[in-house]
Amino acid sequence: MASRRAAMGLVALGFSALALPLALPVGSAFALDYPTRPVRFIVGYPAGGSTDIVARLVGQKLSERLGQQFVIENKPGAGNNIGTETVVKADPDGYTVLLVNPANFINASLYVNLNFNFIRDIAPVAAFNRVPNIMTVSPGIKAKTVAEFIAYVKANPGKVNLASSGNGTSVHLSGEMFMAMTGAKMLHVPYRGAAPATTDLLGDRVQVLFDNMPSIIGHIRGGALRALAVTTATRSSELPDVPTVGETVPGYEASALFGMGAPKNTPPEIIAKLNKEINAVLADPEVKKRFVELGGDPVIATPEEFGAMIAAETEKWEKVVKFAGIKIE
């Protein structure tokens, strides 16, 4: 009613009603100038790791394109859950966003008492990339192929140790998935991070590690460790001669999917604007080259397509968590 009275007043002052601007929905109007101030980009891990590097790469390019800083805010702890909950509780105005990563899909079934439901409470914005883990064996293992390694494990029950960067990580669950799909039983040895796990792999104290490509590839290229396979559905352009696990174990796929999420009820116009800008960033040859160096090609997708990927990843890892029989209170 107030808007109608205002319009009538303008007509009385000599403005034609036909010349009046049409009213825009609040979300649409808000999205026209978004962002008008810095955006908090929450990362649930410490600065300096591969996850943080991905966020900073995209955040810097978005800052350049949109004229406002995307400020990386590291909130490590509780297996990524502290950072995620920060975004879940934030105002849904587009000024707090989340680096979506494999922990979000795994934690949905791994943690018993989460204060949020990731799929319900975080709106998918855009995918960034998929990064393979690399099935890497210690110098003392003579197996040259995945099939030979499976045969070795089955012939040596209780003697093969599967290292990981911690309970419930994608590194751990990639190995658990391998055991579930091959029947090759190994003893899981969790470490506090990938670095000490790699040290013991180099020293033959553990025999296999499904580590993230950026962390382990230097040892492989240097010849200190041997890669048997990558965990993605297709071979990596960084290691084109290394087969996929799926070439021996049909259906196996355990890539690390990254992207951006926002609080639920974030205006769809803002999500659409972010998605458009992120996809433009991913299409930049310089950015694509950097992503390849980090181990995975960019993934350009709509919010809906990214949401479907999140649902599929969550379902997949729930099965592995159940097989492994692990829960965190």
Side-chain angles (χ1 to χ4, degrees):
M1 182 65 71
S3 297
R4 181 179 178 84
R5 283 198 298 268
M8 292 175 66
L10 288 172
V11 171
L13 290 173
F15 289 92
S16 167
L18 294 176
L20 294 176
L22 295 175
L24 290 170
V26 173
S28 298
F30 192 36
L32 288 176
D33 295 327
Y34 170 86
T36 58
R37 54 187 169 87
V39 178
R40 300 167 70 206
F41 193 174
I42 306 298
V43 178
Y45 292 96
S50 57
T51 303
D52 179 68
I53 290 170
V54 167
R56 291 180 187 277
L57 174 60
V58 176
Q60 176 61 36
K61 291 297 182 180
L62 286 176
S63 299
E64 294 170 4
R65 292 183 64 87
L66 291 171
Q68 290 289 343
Q69 289 297 309
F70 279 68
V71 181
I72 305 302
E73 192 171 321
N74 299 95
K75 285 189 170 291
N80 186 71
N81 291 326
I82 290 175
T84 302
E85 191 167 354
T86 298
V87 179
V88 167
K89 292 181 176 179
D91 291 335
D93 56 7
Y95 288 93
T96 305
V97 295
L98 176 70
L99 179 72
V100 176
N101 67 89
N104 293 122
F105 322 133
I106 293 168
N107 290 353
S109 53
L110 180 65
Y111 281 79
V112 177
N113 297 310
L114 284 179
N115 295 322
F116 57 86
N117 179 302
F118 184 76
I119 290 179
R120 181 194 66 203
D121 296 332
I122 293 292
V125 174
F128 289 172
N129 63 333
R130 281 189 184 272
V131 179
N133 289 345
I134 307 179
M135 182 182 177
T136 308
V137 293
S138 65
I141 293 294
K142 304 305 179 187
K144 298 294 193 300
T145 67
V146 172
E148 289 178 4
F149 181 80
I150 293 170
Y152 175 80
V153 173
K154 291 182 176 181
N156 294 273
K159 295 183 179 180
V160 179
N161 295 320
L162 164 71
S164 83
S165 54
N167 278 313
T169 61
S170 67
V171 176
H172 170 205
L173 294 182
S174 294
E176 292 285 355
M177 183 187 294
F178 182 82
M179 289 194 283
M181 296 181 72
T182 63
K185 302 298 182 184
M186 297 175 279
L187 175 65
H188 173 226
V189 182
Y191 289 81
R192 293 185 174 224
T198 302
T199 297
D200 275 7
L201 188 70
L202 288 163
D204 275 320
R205 287 178 285 277
V206 290
Q207 286 69 51
V208 64
L209 174 66
F210 287 75
D211 198 11
N212 304 136
M213 179 177 280
S215 300
I216 199 79
I217 194 168
H219 295 289
I220 293 167
R221 285 176 170 161
L225 294 171
R226 184 167 65 260
L228 295 188
V230 295
T231 62
T232 35
T234 58
R235 294 192 181 196
S236 168
S237 58
E238 289 296 282
L239 295 170
D241 295 329
V242 177
T244 68
V245 176
E247 289 175 43
T248 303
V249 185
Y252 183 100
E253 194 278 335
S255 60
L257 175 66
F258 296 89
M260 180 184 286
K264 69 176 181 180
N265 298 325
T266 297
E269 296 85 0
I270 289 179
I271 289 177
K273 187 170 188 177
L274 282 170
N275 179 270
K276 177 183 176 182
E277 293 298 330
I278 289 168
N279 285 341
V281 167
L282 299 179
D284 183 312
E286 175 190 340
V287 175
K288 183 173 182 178
K289 178 176 181 292
R290 184 68 180 116
F291 268 125
V292 170
E293 291 171 353
L294 290 169
D297 291 322
V299 176
I300 294 177
T302 65
E304 294 75 20
E305 288 168 341
F306 184 41
M309 295 176 203
I310 289 172
E313 290 292 305
T314 303
E315 182 181 359
K316 174 178 70 180
W317 291 119
E318 181 180 10
K319 294 175 182 177
V320 180
V321 168
K322 287 181 177 178
F323 168 81
I326 52 176
K327 289 286 183 183
I328 298 177
E329 296 293 336

